[in-house]
Amino acid sequence: MSETTKPSENLNIVIVGHVDHGKSTLLGRLYADTGSLPDGKLDKVRAICKQQGKEFEYAFLFDAFLEEQEQGITIDTARTFFMWKGRQYIIIDAPGHKEFLKNMISGAARAEAALLLIDALEGVREQSKKHGYLLSLLGVRQFAVVVNKMDLVGYRQDVFDGIEKEYREFLGQFKAVPSQFVPVSAKLGDNIANRSKQMSWYSGPTVLETLSAFQKEAARSEQPLRLPVQDVYKFDARRIITGRITAGRLKVGDHLVFSPSNKRANIRTVEAFNIEPQPTEGQAGQSIGVTLDEQIFVERGEVASHQEHLPLVSTAFRANLFWLGKRPLEKGRKYLLRVATKEVDCEVASIHRIIDTMDLAQQQGSSTISKNQVAELTLRTKAPVAFDLSTSFESTGRFVLVDEYDIAGGGIITELVHDDQEFLREEARRRDFAWVKGEVTVEDRAQQYGHRAAVVLITGGRHTSKSFLARKLEGRLVADGRHAYLLDGENLRRGLDADLSEEERGQTTEMARRYGEVARLLTDTGLIVVSTTNPFGLAYREASQAIRTLVHPAPVIAVHMSKSEEEPPPNTDVVLSGPTDFDAATARILDELKRRGVLAQAIGAKPIFQYSI
Amino acid sequence: MKHLRQLEDQSVYILREAYKHFDNLAMLWSMGKDSTVLLWLARKAFFGHVPFPLLHVDTSYKIPAMIEYRDRLAREWGLNLVVGQNKEALAAGMNHTMGRVVCCTALKTNGLKQLLENKGYTGVILGVRADEEGTRAKERYFSPRDKHGDWDFRDQPPELWDQYKTTFPPGTHIRIHPLLDWTEINIWEYIKLENIPFIDLYLDKGDGTRYRSLGCAPCTSPIRSTAKSVDDIIEELRHTTVAERSGRAQDEGRGMELLRKDGYM
């Protein structure tokens, strides 16, 4: 009889292993022997078997699709529910067949613990190893190995011991340690729910006892705070920032920093529906909503934390990845990266090695990763991303890659890769944290001017009339009643940069840094700054990256001018190929400013701002 | 209670993901216990608002009390209710005596497909639970359907951690299942915890029977039970060994697998 006391917790368990090693049979037997099946279920499946003229198997209890029953394999992960000693188990039966690896991974990715099955007769097989390695990669640290079909090897202890030794050695190479090895016969019910009379040499726990011994995941609420922003709602007067706390805890009054934008505010309220009294705190695991004491503009993908424990920010990281895509993963191709709620374009900068999960041999020098392969690589993103190392934080330390419409790979972040913008980001972060504000807020300025601050940065090679367009745009903006200013690099060269040596002027770095800080001051005054990368010559790509990092969080509207078909720098908003009609070019930039919400209102209209920068 | 809050947090996260990714989103509401809990979770996720329409595919054979309850909650909670019906099939005299799979396909599956097509919904949220029935145990939280509404269970997208399939080629749509990890007991425990209004057809009103699962009147029968309150139901479910959908005729044989491959809920 099943033990149906009130559950105090639930635990997600996945059963993995090579095809035909008996996962579905184990599951069926576990349910049958604990009295967890509904009335008539066994009889119904027995009747179907008889009708189809085949022997009854416990596996049929959960292989629901006709095709699965006909072929005797599990095609897709099934979730089943099982109550034992006050704990509700959600058991995920993951397919072992190579073809269905993505289904196995889907099952394992949501598990807190795993049972890994090995057939005593066949021994350790390809998928036994691959699954063991993937469990480790997926972050499933609690697992037990179940050696099945002991009846087929005469219940011999030496066979069991041999498998245990071989498999422990394999797991030891990547420091995975199973909690238990259990010898069983799922078909005959040995050591599943009931102790086997055939294997008196085994004194360890049964499968059921092994499940009971798995621990609920250690509370991530003791870690530093991580709240990836999922969405921002404004259904009524409240502007509610929502998300699932993936680590740590927060409470009303806490000072939050949003990365990578470095915007900051205090928590004013924790919002909830049908909870009395209104909560004042939240912790890891909860899907919550908070309002802030300042109207800062944050969006999905930013990670909120406390100032003492900020996430890492970079445009590159090293990772371990498994690939499930129909097409191979290619170096240099563009993919969409998702880390927590952030989505950003990325490319594979380098593939360090491909790992053969059979013997953990490493293959180097490949420029593609095929379906079902595991590799170490470096990813480079188009814009800075906030993340953590997977060894420190689970949720913000892992990612997926999307190829066209499909999630095609997943992985864990193992190392921060320093990029060339790092010192500028650090400077911007330190400066933003210490920024001394006047009594006039950015919203006040936006209300007064009828637009938000922004930088329009015109990039491109020499002799593309960037300056001419910038002047035209400034004129047009001011004629329309906007507060715009042409920041010409030449003025900085002769003034602010006059102390630089000839050599320093030849290098982009310090020039761009000074330029960016001046632009940041101007945007803080609420201006639309119109500028070009003229002073940087052919180094305009590097300079535009540096300026973008420093003026952040003001939006940069990037306009690229070119007389050839060259590829514009990353994040370019408007591409103009050697315009001859400068009025049309100006109109396109104005449209882009409207689309980005910089020019929110027509002049004279009463400005209504939901947010400001 | 802690495990109910875990389920709630997960479902709320899924609902918010759905709302973020799909401009043309709707939620199916059959007025049964599951889809009403789902509706309640939407009010949780969006702080008292339900920012998408609720669809009801009316077969015309529903128990009248269900329609009264539907219209009352829609009024009280300010819901945007959209009712669809396969009028052609009904005009041609479709009913359960023509065969259950035939009738369900015409009035429910095709009724739903017509509604989705007419309104151009690209994401539909449903209160399907994995423990209800075998093929539902294999569902994803975000489950794509092709332009004919068919489900390719052989090639379902991977779901890694909290990352779901949210992009897909034009012409297809996604079914979203925030309740997959809930069991029947969890649903009733949550109704009790949150004090969610439900239809009293689920309770014994003196004749020693109640409905355990609600569907069309001709194809759903009450079970023997003296449960007169939510507490009684929870107590009964802790000890029952009778399948939840044993009163649902469509589950007999392979009916459900055939229906679901073709686009049934």
Side-chain angles (χ1 to χ4, degrees):
Chain A
M1 202 40 228
S2 64
E3 304 213 2
T4 50
T5 48
K6 196 174 164 63
S8 59
E9 62 181 17
N10 50 1
L11 195 72
N12 289 308
I13 308 272
V14 67
I15 305 184
V16 301
H18 197 78
V19 63
D20 279 340
H21 282 198
K23 294 177 295 296
S24 301
T25 309
L26 174 79
L27 189 64
R29 180 54 99 162
L30 193 62
Y31 278 68
D33 287 4
T34 52
S36 306
L37 293 170
D39 280 356
K41 177 85 179 179
L42 264 175
D43 292 336
K44 184 181 167 188
V45 176
R46 281 209 171 95
I48 292 176
C49 289
K50 197 173 170 190
Q51 193 191 334
Q52 293 175 358
K54 57 188 182 188
E55 200 185 333
F56 166 79
E57 287 187 33
Y58 284 96
F60 297 155
L61 286 168
F62 296 111
D63 286 338
F65 295 120
L66 183 60
E67 200 167 334
E68 291 180 309
Q69 290 181 8
E70 281 174 348
Q71 295 185 26
I73 57 166
T74 303
I75 291 175
D76 207 345
T77 311
R79 272 185 193 74
T80 60
F81 300 79
F82 171 72
M83 187 90 81
W84 193 255
K85 292 199 172 163
R87 187 190 255 178
Q88 179 179 294
Y89 294 91
I90 300 180
I91 301 192
I92 304 153
D93 180 19
H97 206 271
K98 212 169 145 179
E99 290 297 299
F100 307 123
L101 190 73
K102 72 172 157 55
N103 297 341
M104 173 268 166
I105 284 178
S106 294
R110 64 172 80 102
E112 292 157 277
L115 294 178
L116 192 147
L117 242 73
I118 296 177
D119 181 328
L121 195 61
E122 286 201 3
V124 179
R125 297 295 301 272
E126 183 192 348
Q127 296 300 307
S128 319
K129 289 190 167 180
K130 183 159 244 164
H131 290 180
Y133 185 82
L134 286 171
L135 282 182
S136 169
L137 194 58
L138 288 160
V140 183
R141 312 211 193 286
Q142 283 194 97
F143 70 103
V145 180
V146 177
V147 180
N148 189 24
K149 304 193 191 176
M150 288 300 292
D151 54 311
L152 300 184
V153 296
Y155 297 106
R156 278 163 51 196
Q157 186 179 1
D158 60 326
V159 174
F160 173 74
D161 288 347
I163 288 171
E164 172 166 359
K165 184 167 182 291
E166 181 188 350
Y167 202 57
R168 270 193 197 278
E169 271 171 19
F170 170 77
L171 295 172
Q173 294 178 66
F174 45 93
K175 298 188 176 61
V177 184
S179 63
Q180 208 61 248
F181 277 75
V182 191
V184 310
S185 166
K187 192 175 171 186
L188 301 176
D190 291 284
N191 285 339
I192 307 296
N194 305 308
R195 194 151 285 282
S196 170
K197 291 188 180 67
Q198 311 290 338
M199 292 178 278
S200 51
W201 46 266
Y202 176 76
S203 58
T206 60
V207 170
L208 190 59
E209 287 162 350
T210 303
L211 290 180
S212 305
F214 284 138
Q215 301 291 310
K216 187 74 194 163
E217 273 181 344
R220 290 189 301 273
S221 47
E222 301 317 311
Q223 286 188 293
L225 173 70
R226 292 291 182 267
L227 169 63
V229 176
Q230 190 176 6
D231 212 341
V232 182
Y233 299 140
K234 200 170 180 311
F235 296 115
D236 40 48
R238 297 168 295 178
R239 187 176 147 74
I240 305 175
I241 294 167
T242 64
R244 196 163 191 189
I245 304 174
T246 60
R249 47 181 78 234
L250 55 76
K251 59 180 190 306
V252 168
D254 279 5
H255 187 62
L256 295 186
V257 178
F258 293 85
S259 297
S261 76
N262 296 332
K263 288 175 190 170
R264 295 166 304 145
N266 299 315
I267 298 177
R268 193 176 60 180
T269 59
V270 174
E271 296 291 328
F273 169 77
N274 199 44
I275 303 273
E276 287 296 331
Q278 189 85 354
T280 55
E281 52 187 35
Q283 59 172 319
Q286 292 181 337
S287 287
I288 62 150
V290 298
T291 64
L292 303 174
D293 66 349
E294 262 187 86
Q295 291 283 70
I296 57 170
F297 176 62
V298 291
E299 54 189 350
R300 180 179 164 95
E302 299 228 32
V303 177
S305 70
H306 292 125
Q307 195 167 326
E308 309 79 62
H309 297 283
L310 299 170
L312 303 169
V313 174
S314 184
T315 54
F317 58 78
R318 195 171 166 126
N320 290 350
L321 166 132
F322 48 84
W323 189 246
L324 303 167
K326 295 183 184 92
R327 289 192 300 200
L329 178 78
E330 286 171 38
K331 196 177 154 184
R333 256 184 80 91
K334 295 233 179 335
Y335 297 94
L336 185 72
L337 172 79
R338 292 206 211 157
V339 187
T341 55
K342 177 76 180 179
E343 295 191 353
V344 61
D345 286 338
C346 78
E347 62 177 28
V348 180
S350 52
I351 297 171
H352 306 295
R353 52 187 165 228
I354 290 169
I355 300 158
D356 183 336
T357 46
M358 196 54 197
D359 53 8
L360 298 184
Q362 295 169 349
Q363 172 200 334
Q364 292 183 2
S366 178
S367 60
T368 61
I369 302 170
S370 313
K371 187 174 178 175
N372 296 346
Q373 277 186 327
V374 179
E376 279 178 37
L377 44 69
T378 294
L379 292 176
R380 194 169 292 285
T381 60
K382 201 169 162 186
V385 187
F387 60 86
D388 289 293
L389 303 188
S390 71
T391 44
S392 316
F393 289 88
E394 205 167 55
S395 289
T396 41
R398 58 198 183 193
F399 64 91
V400 298
L401 291 183
V402 179
D403 185 12
E404 286 204 328
Y405 299 114
D406 300 322
I407 291 179
I412 55 174
I413 300 173
T414 55
E415 222 177 284
L416 169 91
V417 174
H418 300 277
D419 62 13
D420 52 10
Q421 297 293 305
E422 194 168 313
F423 85 96
L424 292 175
R425 264 200 313 272
E426 257 317 298
E427 173 175 311
R429 196 179 242 186
R430 280 198 308 272
R431 172 249 282 152
D432 283 354
F433 286 174
W435 195 269
V436 179
K437 293 176 182 171
E439 295 302 311
V440 183
T441 65
V442 279
E443 298 99 84
D444 295 337
R445 293 187 201 281
Q447 296 274 359
Q448 178 82 26
Y449 295 169
H451 61 77
R452 288 162 60 199
V455 174
V456 178
L457 186 65
I458 306 173
T459 61
R462 291 179 198 281
H463 310 304
T464 47
S465 309
K466 297 192 292 293
S467 263
F468 185 73
L469 180 62
R471 279 156 201 286
K472 188 116 189 142
L473 179 65
E474 184 201 25
R476 176 66 199 278
L477 283 166
V478 172
D480 283 355
R482 315 294 181 180
H483 296 248
Y485 180 74
L486 176 75
L487 176 63
D488 197 299
E490 192 57 26
N491 302 340
L492 296 188
R493 277 183 84 93
R494 290 178 187 275
L496 191 63
D497 295 338
D499 63 326
L500 294 181
S501 66
E502 265 317 300
E503 195 195 348
E504 283 169 320
R505 282 170 195 244
Q507 294 166 350
T508 310
T509 323
E510 180 57 15
M511 299 258 298
R513 192 190 71 77
R514 293 180 179 207
Y515 189 100
E517 290 294 359
V518 170
R520 173 71 182 88
L521 278 168
L522 292 177
T523 55
D524 196 51
T525 69
L527 288 177
I528 297 172
V529 177
V530 181
S531 193
T532 71
T533 50
N534 275 346
F536 306 101
L538 291 173
Y540 65 84
R541 283 168 194 273
E542 294 77 19
S544 69
Q545 273 303 323
I547 294 165
R548 191 181 288 275
T549 301
L550 287 167
V551 303
H552 195 85
V556 173
I557 284 72
V559 179
H560 187 67
M561 294 184 71
S562 134
K563 287 200 153 70
S564 60
E565 291 298 304
E566 62 166 340
E567 173 91 352
N571 303 310
T572 297
D573 301 292
V574 179
V575 177
L576 302 169
S577 320
T580 45
D581 184 348
F582 286 88
D583 287 327
T586 307
R588 275 190 64 190
I589 299 169
L590 290 176
D591 283 345
E592 182 65 16
L593 285 168
K594 282 180 195 138
R595 194 185 69 78
R596 295 278 292 268
V598 175
L599 307 181
Q601 276 80 35
I603 284 297
K606 186 173 164 51
I608 308 154
F609 275 86
Q610 292 189 0
Y611 52 75
S612 59
I613 59 165
Chain B
M1 186 182 131
K2 198 173 148 200
H3 74 289
L4 291 179
R5 291 299 176 207
Q6 286 170 10
L7 289 169
E8 178 189 84
D9 285 323
Q10 172 74 0
S11 300
V12 163
Y13 186 84
I14 292 169
L15 284 166
R16 288 175 178 169
E17 282 300 280
Y19 181 58
K20 181 73 204 179
H21 284 101
F22 301 105
D23 290 337
N24 213 347
L25 182 69
M27 182 189 272
L28 228 54
W29 183 34
S30 71
M31 295 84 68
K33 60 188 186 301
D34 304 314
S35 61
T36 303
V37 162
L38 189 62
L39 170 56
W40 186 265
L41 286 165
R43 299 178 86 213
K44 282 248 164 182
F46 308 107
F47 306 97
H49 304 264
V50 183
F52 34 72
L54 290 160
L55 311 184
H56 178 221
V57 181
D58 190 354
T59 59
S60 82
Y61 293 106
K62 295 288 171 194
I63 303 167
M66 295 170 73
I67 304 298
E68 285 164 28
Y69 168 82
R70 177 190 78 185
D71 294 340
R72 179 168 64 81
L73 277 200
R75 221 173 27 245
E76 285 173 9
W77 291 355
L79 306 174
N80 176 6
L81 183 69
V82 177
V83 177
Q85 199 166 51
N86 189 347
K87 293 205 167 73
E88 275 173 35
L90 284 169
M94 176 56 71
N95 67 62
H96 68 287
T97 63
M98 323 271 269
R100 284 174 179 126
V101 169
V102 175
C103 183
C104 277
T105 301
L107 297 186
K108 290 190 176 178
T109 310
N110 293 342
L112 174 64
K113 283 180 181 174
Q114 286 171 9
L115 188 56
L116 298 185
E117 204 168 311
N118 292 344
K119 301 276 181 177
Y121 296 118
T122 50
V124 186
I125 309 169
L126 299 96
V128 163
R129 296 188 344 258
D131 77 328
E132 283 180 278
E133 175 273 329
T135 65
R136 287 179 178 167
K138 307 228 166 196
E139 270 291 2
R140 295 288 197 262
Y141 298 114
F142 284 66
S143 177
R145 302 298 151 121
D146 70 13
K147 44 181 165 286
H148 310 295
D150 291 349
W151 178 38
D152 184 2
F153 68 84
R154 292 178 54 97
D155 189 22
Q156 299 198 68
E159 287 191 339
L160 292 166
W161 309 304
D162 281 335
Q163 305 288 356
Y164 310 112
K165 182 174 176 73
T166 48
T167 50
F168 48 94
T172 54
H173 72 276
I174 295 257
R175 292 198 179 172
I176 300 137
H177 303 126
L179 294 186
L180 272 193
D181 291 340
W182 294 61
T183 63
E184 188 185 4
I185 289 195
N186 295 154
I187 292 289
W188 284 111
E189 287 170 334
Y190 190 70
I191 286 173
K192 183 186 171 193
L193 179 70
E194 292 281 328
N195 199 16
I196 303 170
F198 65 95
I199 304 188
D200 63 2
L201 292 170
Y202 285 111
L203 300 177
D204 168 29
K205 281 171 283 179
D207 64 351
T209 68
R210 70 176 189 89
Y211 284 92
R212 188 162 162 201
S213 174
L214 291 176
C216 291
C219 295
T220 314
S221 35
I223 56 159
R224 294 199 157 280
S225 166
T226 54
K228 294 185 172 60
S229 66
V230 176
D231 281 327
D232 290 349
I233 293 176
I234 294 169
E235 192 55 27
E236 177 183 291
L237 291 177
R238 288 220 173 96
H239 300 288
T240 187
T241 51
V242 177
E244 176 184 5
R245 295 175 64 91
S246 57
R248 299 290 287 267
Q250 63 192 200
D251 286 22
E252 281 164 22
R254 302 210 69 84
M256 202 55 163
E257 179 180 345
L258 297 172
L259 279 170
R260 298 208 76 229
K261 255 174 136 160
D262 207 31
Y264 187 77
M265 286 66 90

